[in-house]
Amino acid sequence: YPYPPSWCSTTLLRHALPLSMALHRAVIAQGSYILDKKAITFFRSYRLAVVKDGPDLPVFQHPATLLRLAHWLGDAIRSMLENQAAGSGAGGGGGASRNLPFVLAALSETSDKFLVVGVVPADEYGDVRRK
């Protein structure tokens, strides 16, 4: 082929970058809002947060976007707990409480239903669990 195929064009990538950046900003803004408002409920065996309002609420009606927010929040919580443990001189005994599953729900205002996702964190950053 004298020219690359159309699916190989960078034009599509250039058009998708602003959307990807806007999505990333929405995840960070919503996640920061949830953390600032302390809107995460800690239960014995999992953590729960609910997205019920905000300008980006329709963005989180897609499972992949809600999962992205759940992973971001899980990493942020782990980082906060590690910083607290390091600041208090704890010897890392809170590993079990730090790695609780995280459940995230987002309200759909149009259907008055919730989309719910759950994630289980790895033991350490970059770890993969084998089954």
Side-chain angles (χ1 to χ4, degrees):
Y1 292 96
Y3 300 102
S6 61
W7 56 266
C8 203
S9 173
T10 59
T11 304
L12 292 175
L13 180 62
R14 286 190 197 124
H15 287 298
L17 278 175
L19 177 61
S20 178
M21 291 167 50
L23 178 64
H24 187 69
R25 280 192 293 273
V27 166
I28 291 173
Q30 188 67 49
S32 298
Y33 177 79
I34 289 170
L35 292 174
D36 290 344
K37 294 296 180 184
K38 299 184 186 336
I40 299 172
T41 306
F42 290 74
F43 293 100
R44 182 182 306 242
S45 58
Y46 66 96
R47 295 183 177 105
L48 171 70
V50 180
V51 179
K52 292 187 278 189
D53 54 13
D56 296 321
L57 186 59
V59 171
F60 297 105
Q61 292 308 303
H62 192 280
T65 308
L66 196 58
L67 272 171
R68 191 169 176 182
L69 176 59
H71 283 290
W72 189 91
L73 283 167
D75 288 344
I77 291 169
R78 181 191 322 191
S79 179
M80 288 170 41
L81 291 174
E82 285 175 353
N83 288 340
Q84 287 176 355
S88 67
S97 65
R98 185 170 44 233
N99 288 327
L100 291 176
F102 188 75
V103 177
L104 183 62
L107 175 66
S108 170
E109 293 178 320
T110 57
S111 66
D112 202 31
K113 295 180 182 177
F114 285 91
L115 173 65
V116 181
V117 298
V119 294
V120 180
D123 291 332
E124 298 290 333
Y125 290 113
D127 278 1
V128 177
R129 291 187 179 176
R130 294 184 186 208
K131 293 187 180 193

